[in-house]
């Protein structure tokens, strides 16, 4: 083999981020390449939750809304996520779910382009982004969805009817990354607004959200906020006071505690909150953001591309005879922090692999996904994963009956 | 005084629910009459969160979605809330916030009454219920809101244009309780659908939601689920498959893991979920529901009305000269588990009271609210609170300058 395990040990020893792995709980004997689906728990998460329950909830009771800063969590947590996506203070709020965030962004975008009736939606978007837009359009009437496939499909889709375009910076299945600057410029040149889904970007690399009009994203993947951690929404400052979104709840009201009968939107990013933040879910996320404060994002990206390139090279070398096809772009610039391979028996292959301690996941119809969360995945992990995958394929472990029975895949 | 403290000590000793107080953390020296805003923490909450983080998240990682039952939390938790509101299994789902639940219920109701364009909304509803409907109507166009004041206002408001009516069973300010059976029958007789907000009902007394078409509610007040605990929505079985709501996310899809490009609603109550549940916030709620499983709701109601009646009697006796006016109904049947009094200087009065360890809250313009969460409030608490209130009023503590400066009230 061109690259040896000893090389990978050396790469790990030289990794400037290597100490960050100690901040996470990772089970012995598991190579966890599913951080692109659910990030590993920060060691500090458990204590953070205990503190919020015992000191804030039990200690302050309802007074926690002010004294413990609960009321402001959507904004204070948003300001902590902002640098990870290239945004400034007052441009990001956290709360609800990505699906709800899509409704906020799209409904706010539509109001900014009143004459235009088309929403462009990518067939490759994560399904819930599509479903939420479909639900919105069905409710609003009078609008239509124009489906495209990838940014290439945009060329023929942009005209004077398009109000906004919703794309994912990194494709959840393929791991491919759009050239957001180029795509955003094209969309905006057509007079439309650009909404990016950053679910597979935030925490995978330094995002530059600033040219975008809106962005949404989740915090439980690379950001390690925990299962169902709250989502975020970015709104460009020029739009914040110029539009409203559909979900006009009391926390987005100009005077939430005046209990006025009619909605009056708050100024600024607070307008994009809805209602009572899920305080306990914020606690784990903020424990993770304490780790993120110490991360150099240039180092993160360098490690991420090195890891994914290494894994591609190794798998292609070791698994050449076994019918795997690289799905993800070979150009590191066009990749997130994930590598996908297709295999006609992808589902049992992945199950056999998981049984051997290498956790990736499977996406229909035939995609094996491997996420490389650069905070805690090592070069030796990439090496060992590739070797194990080759073994599974070579020895045809995946043909065993027990791997072919379909389980629910998450 | 007619009732003595010794009488209250005896009432506490006879209280069949008295042992439940031990299940909650309540600070020494505080009489916490704000459980109608944020419930006290169950002692088990902290350990439940630790278990979810350490055993489920760290132990199962992404596998927790199946192995730890995270994916089904909205339904399994809903089935635990159901008996508290008189619903059956498969009729309640938990997730998101009450504000979002309002959008689900109202948008689903509108589809069931396609010819009707009016939503009746109570001016006394908690503001976010009103704001969410306003946002929805502004988005949908073509609909209008007809504001009424209380169920009395309904008389002239029900006609063939009304699609649905949104009222709160218990008024958040006054603590008054509607006759839901009577109001629901009237609304349905007019061909409209009835949506109840149960935020101040669930956990305050045995609700009978069954005549209603839809209901929404929160779990962080009397249900003690923690700050920002997820909300619930009830959908009558006859409507579940007959309509769709606006927020059509992937967890409400018939096959969420098939990643289909287009939305197809799941059958049953799952259709009313949106997306990834806030797992950590569910953990504390489920710890509280473990306590609720042991509660006899008839005993709960008996204690609640005894507590609120006692408090009303004592305050009226002790505070007669000091300008307090009872806001809440004198008829226990028409009360939730809260007593409100008006006082022209309600804000500084409440601050002076809190300084003396009696925690109620204030709602503009002049309402002092006292919540009696029957799981952990004692008769002696009601007694001591009334005596302290009388002292604050008699000695005019509230005239002290420090109480008059306005703070943010939550």
């Amino acid at each position: 083999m061109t690259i040896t395990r000893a090389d990978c040990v050396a790469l790990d020893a030289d990794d400037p981020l290597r100490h960050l792995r100690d901040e996470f709980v990772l089970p012995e004997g598991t190579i966890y390449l599913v951080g692109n689906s659910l990030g590993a728990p920060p060691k500090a998460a458990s204590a953070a939750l205990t503190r919020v329950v015992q000191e804030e909830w039990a200690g302050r009771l309802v007074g926690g809304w002010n004294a413990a800063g609960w009321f402001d969590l959507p904004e204070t947590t948003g300001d902590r996520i902002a640098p990870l996506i290239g945004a400034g203070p007052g441009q990001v709020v956290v709360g609800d779910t990505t699906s709800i965030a899509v409704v906020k962004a799209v409904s706010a975008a539509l109001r900014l382009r009143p004459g235009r009736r088309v929403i462009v939606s990518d067939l490759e978007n994560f399904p819930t982004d599509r479903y939420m837009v479909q639900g919105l359009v069905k409710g609003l009437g009078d609008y239509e969805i124009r489906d495209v496939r990838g940014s290439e499909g945009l060329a023929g889709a942009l005209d004077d009817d398009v109000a906004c375009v919703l794309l994912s910076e990194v494709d959840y299945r393929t791991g491919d990354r759009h050239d957001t600057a180029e795509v955003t410029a094209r969309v905006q040149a057509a007079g439309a607004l650009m909404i990016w889904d950053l679910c597979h970007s935030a925490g995978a690399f330094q995002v530059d959200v600033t040219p975008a009009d809106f962005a949404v994203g989740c915090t439980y993947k690379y950001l390690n906020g925990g299962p169902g951690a709250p989502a975020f929404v970015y709104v460009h400052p020029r739009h914040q006071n110029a539009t409203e979104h559909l979900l006009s709840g009391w926390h987005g009201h100009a005077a939430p505690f005046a209990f006025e009968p009619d909605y009056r939107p708050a100024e600024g990013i607070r307008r994009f909150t809805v209602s009572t933040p899920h305080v306990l879910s914020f606690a784990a996320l903020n424990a993770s953001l304490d780790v993120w404060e110490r991360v150099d994002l240039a180092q993160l990206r360098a490690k991420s591309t090195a890891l994914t390139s290494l894994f591609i090279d190794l798998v292609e070398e070791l698994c050449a005879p076994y019918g795997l096809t690289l799905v993800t772009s070979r150009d590191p610039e066009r990749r997130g922090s994930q590598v996908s391979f297709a295999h006609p028996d992808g589902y049992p292959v992945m199950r056999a692999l998981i049984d051997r301690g290498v956790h990736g996941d499977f996406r229909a119809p035939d995609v094996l996904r491997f996420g490389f969360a650069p905070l805690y995945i090592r070069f030796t992990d990439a090496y060992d994963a590739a070797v194990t995958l080759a073994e599974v394929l070579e020895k045809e472990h995946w043909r065993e009956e027990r791997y072919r029975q379909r389980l629910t895949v998450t």
Side-chain angles (χ1 to χ4, degrees), chain A:
Chain A
M1 252 188 295
T2 327
I3 305 148
T4 66
R5 195 170 197 284
D7 295 335
C8 292
V9 170
L11 286 168
D12 284 333
D14 283 347
D15 172 13
L17 302 178
R18 68 186 176 284
H19 299 300
L20 293 172
R21 181 176 167 91
D22 297 336
E23 302 293 338
F24 295 92
V25 188
L26 289 156
E28 278 299 309
T30 295
I31 296 176
Y32 188 63
L33 305 181
V34 204
N36 55 332
S37 179
L38 178 69
K43 281 185 183 157
S46 205
L49 281 158
T50 300
R51 196 184 56 74
V52 169
V53 171
Q54 296 184 355
E55 290 176 28
E56 297 184 0
W57 183 11
R60 303 286 193 166
L61 293 165
V62 74
W65 287 108
N66 287 320
W70 296 342
F71 188 75
D72 294 323
L73 278 172
E75 288 166 281
T76 54
T77 311
D79 283 350
R80 304 187 75 190
I81 288 173
L84 302 173
I85 61 169
Q91 298 176 9
V92 179
V93 275
V94 178
D96 307 298
T97 61
T98 310
S99 296
I100 296 296
V102 166
V103 171
K104 295 181 196 178
V106 173
S107 63
L110 294 179
R111 294 236 176 112
L112 289 166
R113 292 292 180 271
R116 295 169 171 239
R117 318 304 293 178
V118 171
I119 302 163
V120 172
S121 171
D122 191 349
L123 283 159
E124 306 295 356
N125 274 341
F126 187 75
T128 205
D129 290 16
R130 297 182 46 80
Y131 302 160
M132 295 308 284
V133 171
Q134 289 167 4
L136 190 62
V137 163
K138 196 165 167 179
L140 301 181
D142 230 23
Y143 286 91
E144 65 177 89
I145 297 169
R146 192 170 291 167
D147 286 326
V148 297
R149 195 172 295 278
S151 58
E152 310 72 33
L154 270 182
L158 293 174
D159 60 28
D160 288 356
D161 292 331
V162 176
C164 60
V165 175
L166 172 60
L167 294 176
S168 301
E169 178 168 14
V170 176
D171 184 305
Y172 78 102
R173 227 166 41 86
T174 66
D176 280 353
R177 180 184 179 187
H178 284 302
D179 181 342
T180 53
E182 185 273 328
V183 173
T184 301
R186 248 196 305 152
V187 166
Q188 291 172 340
L193 297 165
M194 186 69 223
I195 306 168
W196 285 107
D197 179 327
L198 305 177
C199 282
H200 288 264
S201 310
F205 49 81
Q206 171 74 68
V207 176
D208 179 15
V209 81
T210 52
D213 297 287
F214 298 89
V216 301
C218 86
T219 64
Y220 51 73
K221 296 178 185 294
Y222 295 99
L223 293 181
N224 314 305
F232 64 84
V233 58
Y234 161 84
V235 183
H236 194 288
R238 75 175 164 272
H239 298 317
Q240 291 181 7
N241 296 335
T243 186
E244 293 180 33
H245 64 103
L246 188 83
L247 303 171
S248 50
W250 70 304
H251 280 228
H253 192 280
F257 294 100
F259 301 104
E260 296 174 5
D262 297 320
Y263 185 72
R264 269 195 305 133
E267 296 289 294
I269 193 72
R270 179 173 279 279
R271 181 176 299 197
F272 291 83
T273 62
V274 180
S275 60
T276 317
H278 301 289
V279 171
L280 300 177
S281 288
F282 274 80
L285 172 58
N286 273 298
S288 176
L289 293 171
D290 290 343
V291 178
W292 278 102
E293 275 187 356
R294 297 157 45 199
V295 177
D296 178 318
L297 293 171
Q299 291 177 344
L300 183 90
R301 181 60 175 161
K303 180 177 177 186
S304 163
T305 54
L307 279 168
T308 51
S309 295
L310 174 77
F311 186 69
I312 291 171
D313 291 347
L314 281 167
V315 170
E316 293 201 322
E317 189 178 334
L318 296 168
C319 307
Y322 311 123
L324 277 182
T325 317
L326 179 65
V327 171
T328 312
S329 172
R330 226 168 268 282
D331 174 3
E333 278 305 297
R334 297 275 63 79
R335 277 206 295 273
S337 201
Q338 167 191 325
V339 177
S340 297
F341 284 98
H343 188 283
D345 281 292
Y347 180 74
V349 166
M350 182 52 75
R351 287 197 59 205
L353 195 60
I354 289 172
D355 242 21
R356 282 151 187 84
V358 178
H359 292 241
D361 65 11
F362 173 77
R363 286 292 178 262
D366 59 359
V367 174
L368 301 153
R369 301 195 310 173
F370 301 93
F372 292 85
L375 294 195
Y376 50 78
I377 297 301
R378 297 166 298 200
F379 291 93
T380 44
D381 291 331
Y383 185 92
D384 294 341
V387 169
T388 309
L389 176 59
E391 210 173 272
V392 163
L393 292 167
E394 184 196 350
K395 299 194 177 152
E396 303 196 345
H397 290 307
W398 57 272
R399 290 199 189 274
E400 293 170 32
E401 190 49 36
R402 61 184 163 139
Y403 297 131
R404 307 194 71 91
Q405 190 195 336
R406 201 60 168 250
L407 300 176
T408 310
V409 181
T410 60

